[in-house]
Amino acid sequence: DSGVTQTPKHLITATGQRVTLRCSPRSGDLSVYWYQQSLDQGLQFLIQYYNGEERAKGNILERFSAQQFPDLHSELNLSSLELGDSALYFCASSVGDGPQLFYGYTFGSGTRLTVV
Amino acid sequence: GESVGLHLPTLSVQEGDNSIINCAYSNSASDYFIWYKQESGKGPQFIIDIRSNMDKRQGQRVTVLLNKTVKHLSLQIAATQPGDSAVYFCAEGGKAAGNKLTFGGGTRVLVKP
């Protein structure tokens, strides 16, 4: 158990639908990052939040949005789903750019999204 | 930090041999480097990290080498085992990048019995 919790583990939904993926960061981490990974591909950075505020955006589609709540958990919302959105979605957390020493990211086990 | 979505290069290794995975990084200001292992269907897991004030760091069966002159990072796995079959990602970052990581594209390691 990495300490980063993602739910659900699997999600099957139809095209055009909307889903919400949830992530609880490791205790003490203030930053949350979302990544998309298609089959046999690398990690595509979507978005980062730090202590409730958006910090960085990657190649995130306009149909996708995210937020980080006061308790630091984060949700990734995917709407108007298309077949090509089928992928593994990972959340990672870190201390962020605060005063603590940086030790990289801790990843969750991911949510496998299948759009049919 | 995002990686390029390319087809993963593959390294085939005989069980018991040593593996070397190479990674070129781009930002000379990066001061933190890390290797992750990702098994099929799972999240990336920390293997080993190194800061820019070091050239070499050893863990259990793994060694990371950092050559800042040519911006090159490598991961050596000693006596490769079937359980080492996975995709390996390098990442660079640190304070200069706001403690964000930029990931390499990944290398698939296949261990042959």
Side-chain angles (χ1 to χ4, degrees), chain A residues 33 35 37 40-45 48 56 58-59 88 90 96-98 100-105 107-109 112, chain B residues 1-8 32 34 36 38 41-44 49 51 89 94-95 98-101 103 105 108:
Chain A
Y33 312 80
Y35 284 84
Q37 187 178 42
D40 258 7
Q41 299 284 315
L43 296 162
Q44 295 293 322
F45 170 65
Q48 177 204 358
N59 290 335
L88 274 166
F90 289 105
D97 58 2
Q100 305 100 312
L101 198 58
F102 180 62
Y103 284 101
Y105 300 170
F107 282 84
S109 56
R112 182 177 293 281
Chain B
E2 63 177 278
S3 65
V4 178
L6 300 173
H7 189 69
L8 295 175
Y32 180 83
I34 187 169
Y36 288 93
Q38 186 181 22
K42 297 184 178 179
D49 60 0
R51 299 190 189 272
F89 291 99
K95 277 291 182 190
N99 281 350
K100 281 194 285 290
L101 293 176
F103 285 84
R108 183 182 305 282

Side-chain angles (χ1 to χ4, degrees), chain B residues 36-56:
Chain B
Y36 288 93
K37 173 186 180 183
Q38 186 181 22
E39 295 176 273
S40 182
K42 297 184 178 179
Q45 293 179 298
F46 169 89
I47 302 174
I48 192 166
D49 60 0
I50 188 168
R51 299 190 189 272
S52 58
N53 59 352
M54 300 176 70
D55 298 323
K56 179 179 178 178

Side-chain angles (χ1 to χ4, degrees), chain A:
Chain A
D1 181 10
S2 68
V4 177
T5 304
Q6 287 190 250
T7 57
K9 291 195 184 309
H10 302 277
L11 201 48
I12 302 175
T13 191
T15 54
Q17 294 298 305
R18 171 189 167 96
V19 297
T20 298
L21 313 184
R22 183 188 167 104
C23 169
S24 293
R26 195 179 58 157
S27 178
D29 285 352
L30 298 180
S31 231
V32 169
Y33 312 80
W34 286 98
Y35 284 84
Q36 180 192 56
Q37 187 178 42
S38 301
L39 189 64
D40 258 7
Q41 299 284 315
L43 296 162
Q44 295 293 322
F45 170 65
L46 296 177
I47 197 164
Q48 177 204 358
Y49 278 82
Y50 175 76
N51 205 18
E53 296 192 359
E54 182 184 305
R55 269 299 169 91
K57 254 183 173 177
N59 290 335
I60 187 166
L61 300 172
E62 286 197 13
R63 301 183 284 110
F64 296 0
S65 65
Q67 53 184 328
Q68 186 179 29
F69 295 87
D71 67 351
L72 300 178
H73 92 270
S74 178
E75 293 180 357
L76 179 67
N77 301 297
L78 314 176
S79 61
S80 302
L81 284 167
E82 303 174 359
L83 296 178
D85 298 326
S86 295
L88 274 166
Y89 290 85
F90 289 105
C91 165
S93 73
S94 81
V95 296
D97 58 2
Q100 305 100 312
L101 198 58
F102 180 62
Y103 284 101
Y105 300 170
T106 301
F107 282 84
S109 56
T111 294
R112 182 177 293 281
L113 173 67
T114 303
V115 183
V116 296

Side-chain angles (χ1 to χ4, degrees), chain B residues 4-5 7-8 14-15 27 32 34 44 59 61 65-67 71 75 80-82 84 88 99 105 109:
Chain B
V4 178
H7 189 69
L8 295 175
Q14 201 69 40
E15 182 179 354
N27 188 352
Y32 180 83
I34 187 169
R61 282 200 309 116
L65 298 176
L66 175 62
N67 185 330
K71 292 190 285 188
L75 177 70
T80 311
Q81 302 170 358
D84 296 325
Y88 292 80
N99 281 350
V109 172

Side-chain angles (χ1 to χ4, degrees), chain B residues 11-47:
Chain B
L11 175 68
S12 290
V13 183
Q14 201 69 40
E15 182 179 354
D17 287 353
N18 296 335
S19 303
I20 300 176
I21 307 165
N22 295 304
C23 178
Y25 66 91
S26 58
N27 188 352
S28 56
S30 292
D31 58 15
Y32 180 83
F33 305 86
I34 187 169
W35 282 97
Y36 288 93
K37 173 186 180 183
Q38 186 181 22
E39 295 176 273
S40 182
K42 297 184 178 179
Q45 293 179 298
F46 169 89
I47 302 174

